[in-house]
Amino acid sequence: MLADTGFVDIEVGEPVDTFGGAGGEENARNFDVKGYPFRARKP
């Protein structure tokens, strides 16, 4: 999707636990929900 909108040099980082300490943390862990940081540049 990023490339389709003109971004280049797209990088996706390692998965992180974005729900640590949140109310839905147990559900997120049950469904293996993770967040992924990304970086891209639009020339």
Side-chain angles (χ1 to χ4, degrees):
M1 184 176 4
L2 289 172
D4 290 344
T5 57
F7 285 90
V8 297
D9 299 332
I10 300 164
E11 298 177 18
V12 180
E14 296 294 318
V16 294
D17 178 7
T18 58
F19 287 92
E25 180 178 7
E26 184 176 336
N27 288 332
R29 289 196 192 285
N30 288 336
F31 291 99
D32 199 29
V33 175
K34 303 250 188 303
Y36 291 85
F38 62 91
R39 179 171 56 182
R41 178 175 66 84
K42 192 160 186 177

